[in-house]
Amino acid sequence: MTNGGDGVGDGVGQARADADRLAANKELVADFCETFYNAKDFARAATLLADDFHNHHHGAGIGPARTVDSFREQVSDRFPGFSLEIRRAVAEGDLVWTYGLVRFDEGAPVAATVDIWRVADGKLAEKWDVGQAVTEETDPGTLM
């Protein structure tokens, strides 16, 4: 079906394609977070990372192998109950922001974290993060 040259049909198709790409980027991030941080299936999680994945977290390094090794050394070996619950995700362009709650062990207090992920060619290419402790007086249910 033609749109008569007014360009409206093309814009709708492009908007739909953009929305699909943003949804796919958010799904990729959610899949990685569940696989890596919660299931600790590091082999599968590594397949979601670009070969030159750059995690800007101090000491995390570059590449899937270094990302896995540094997380094991710094977190999962020391805190086997570590988990991440994503509460919000926003996508724009090639970036996905997630707001989540980190728990180092079951029953431990939570910390709030914001992670910014860059997606390239259907894989995670970069990650930046910031975190903040949540006081024991704070009800996690009131957090975003």
Side-chain angles (χ1 to χ4, degrees), residues 3-86:
N3 64 24
D6 63 8
V8 172
D10 294 338
V12 170
Q14 184 61 49
R16 199 169 288 131
D18 290 345
D20 290 346
R21 181 178 45 79
L22 294 175
N25 287 352
K26 285 170 52 174
E27 187 175 323
L28 172 64
V29 168
D31 186 22
F32 177 81
C33 289
E34 180 60 33
T35 303
F36 188 77
Y37 296 113
N38 298 335
K40 316 252 185 330
D41 182 350
F42 300 125
R44 181 174 177 291
T47 68
L48 303 175
L49 302 175
D51 290 341
D52 60 348
F53 175 75
H54 191 144
N55 187 336
H56 296 276
H57 187 89
H58 179 72
I62 297 175
R66 183 65 197 133
T67 297
V68 168
D69 290 346
S70 66
F71 182 74
R72 280 185 170 148
E73 293 164 7
Q74 296 176 21
V75 180
S76 71
D77 287 350
R78 294 172 49 203
F79 307 101
F82 180 93
S83 65
L84 169 64
E85 175 192 352
I86 294 176

Side-chain angles (χ1 to χ4, degrees), residues 95-138:
L95 299 174
V96 176
W97 289 262
T98 58
Y99 168 82
L101 300 179
V102 169
R103 191 174 303 272
F104 281 87
D105 212 346
E106 199 167 317
V110 297
T113 183
V114 174
D115 297 300
I116 304 170
W117 305 84
R118 186 173 66 81
V119 178
D121 300 320
K123 296 210 174 193
L124 298 174
E126 283 184 276
K127 176 188 180 271
W128 299 264
D129 60 78
V130 294
Q132 175 179 333
V134 175
T135 65
E136 291 183 21
E137 295 81 32
T138 303

